[in-house]
């Protein structure tokens, strides 16, 4: 069954001043088998990256946020268009980053500036065909390898924040399993998952609590530090 074509053009593109607004995600999956034999949370996590057209580097799925969708819907749409995956999107962004386009065919504005929002997407569906399959390959990577392949600093910061959120979720889950109340207040706890598009669910609870950082400028010292993050930046 053929997939719908990817959106193209800039007629519906959102802008904030001279910045083109972008939304994307870090798709991930957890290997239960590896987690059972691993003491480190990140050892059982894989993230999905996609190739860039006409370049050799790998990136996380992202693209223009358009005026007929929310930024959450845009992140889900881009995940399917570029990587062929759908799943449960954590409602709170990992953060927002300002960066400059490096590709002539991906100019974000007259000044080339983008403001991007990144989310965590738990993958539940992986399709064999997707809109940009002919132009993009996809690859599942262990966290350490993903850090090594991150070409830009904002991508490494987003991955660090992703790990911090995953660690916080694990701590909350463990507290709930032993009947303890989490020490830190958790916001955005809602009822059941709500479907926001055909590509994903915004999972704002139903046994999961989401903690994130939405500051435009995120200092590295505020991240949950892991040895692999430090190694990637060295």
């Amino acid at each position: 069954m053929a997939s719908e074509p990817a959106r193209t053009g800039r007629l519906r593109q959102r802008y904030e001043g001279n910045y083109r607004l972008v939304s994307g995600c870090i798709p991930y999956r957890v290997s239960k088998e590896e987690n059972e034999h691993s003491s480190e949370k990140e050892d059982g996590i894989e993230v999905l990256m996609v190739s860039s057209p006409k370049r050799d580097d790998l990136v996380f799925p992202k693209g223009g946020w358009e005026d007929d969708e929310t930024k959450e819907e845009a992140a889900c749409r881009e995940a399917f268009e570029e990587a062929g995956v759908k799943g449960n999107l954590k409602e709170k962004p990992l953060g927002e980053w300002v960066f400059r386009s490096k590709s002539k065919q991906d100019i974000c504005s007259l000044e080339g500036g983008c403001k991007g929002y990144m989310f965590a997407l738990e993958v539940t569906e992986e399709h064999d065909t997707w809109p940009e399959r002919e132009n993009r390959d996809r690859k599942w990577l262990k966290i350490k390898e993903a850090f090594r392949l991150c070409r830009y600093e904002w991508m490494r910061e987003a991955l660090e924040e992703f790990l911090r959120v995953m660690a916080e979720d694990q701590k909350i889950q463990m507290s709930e399993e032993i009947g303890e109340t989490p020490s830190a207040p958790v916001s955005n706890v809602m009822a059941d998952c709500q479907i926001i598009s055909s590509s994903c669910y915004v999972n704002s609870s139903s046994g999961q609590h989401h903690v994130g950082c939405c500051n435009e400028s995120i200092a590295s010292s505020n991240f949950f530090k892991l040895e692999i993050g430090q190694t990637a930046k060295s």
Side-chain angles (χ1 to χ4, degrees):
M1 181 177 178
S3 58
E4 294 183 3
R7 291 191 179 191
T8 58
R10 299 288 169 81
L11 292 177
R12 307 195 70 95
Q13 173 64 56
R14 291 177 187 260
Y15 290 88
E16 186 177 295
N18 289 324
Y19 291 120
R20 179 188 176 216
L21 298 183
V22 171
S23 189
C25 64
I26 298 179
Y28 73 94
R29 65 186 182 187
V30 179
S31 171
K32 294 182 179 179
E33 292 182 1
E34 291 192 21
N35 253 355
E36 291 175 356
H37 303 286
S38 174
S39 59
E40 297 294 335
K41 174 71 176 176
E42 70 272 14
D43 287 347
I45 299 176
E46 292 180 319
V47 295
L48 187 65
M49 300 183 77
V50 296
S51 61
S52 299
K54 298 183 180 180
R55 295 211 306 271
D56 295 330
D57 57 333
L58 294 176
V59 296
F60 296 118
K62 66 172 176 35
W65 172 17
E66 301 191 346
D67 61 10
D68 63 341
E69 61 189 353
T70 66
K71 57 180 175 289
E72 293 85 359
E73 289 173 325
C76 292
R77 175 176 55 77
E78 291 293 339
F80 180 68
E81 288 182 357
E82 295 189 356
V85 294
K86 299 180 181 182
N88 301 321
L89 189 80
K90 288 186 181 291
E91 185 180 23
K92 195 164 187 178
L94 297 172
E96 61 183 69
W97 286 267
V98 173
F99 53 92
R100 188 173 182 84
S101 172
K102 301 295 183 180
S103 171
K104 292 182 180 179
Q105 66 178 31
D106 187 28
I107 297 174
C108 294
S109 72
L110 293 175
E111 288 73 24
C114 299
K115 178 181 285 188
Y117 299 85
M118 293 296 290
F119 297 83
L121 176 73
E122 181 184 13
V123 173
T124 59
E125 299 179 31
E126 189 171 347
H127 294 251
D128 294 330
T129 60
W130 63 94
E132 298 185 23
R133 181 183 179 185
E134 293 186 2
N135 297 321
R136 295 182 186 273
D137 293 322
R138 62 188 181 190
K139 186 174 184 180
W140 285 103
L141 299 163
K142 296 294 185 183
I143 296 294
K144 291 181 181 180
E145 182 69 3
F147 264 113
R148 188 182 71 80
L149 294 174
C150 284
R151 180 177 180 180
Y152 307 113
E153 181 65 20
W154 75 265
M155 290 174 57
R156 287 189 288 270
E157 290 181 355
L159 193 53
E160 283 183 333
E161 182 63 15
F162 165 78
L163 285 177
R164 190 195 68 78
V165 169
M166 294 298 291
E168 185 67 21
D169 280 358
Q170 183 186 41
K171 183 167 63 175
I172 291 171
Q173 182 179 359
M174 291 176 63
S175 297
E176 290 176 343
E177 288 175 353
I178 62 177
E180 293 182 354
T181 302
S183 57
V186 179
S187 59
N188 296 327
V189 179
M190 299 172 63
D192 294 326
C193 299
Q194 297 179 344
I195 300 177
I196 63 167
S197 74
S198 61
S199 297
C200 75
Y201 300 86
V202 170
N203 194 350
S204 50
S205 80
S206 189
Q208 293 187 7
H209 307 289
H210 307 310
V211 182
C213 178
C214 293
N215 292 333
E216 178 172 337
S217 176
I218 303 178
S220 298
S221 61
N222 291 333
F223 290 131
F224 178 82
K225 285 297 182 182
L226 295 171
E227 182 179 352
I228 57 175
Q230 298 167 345
T231 301
K233 290 188 176 184
S234 61

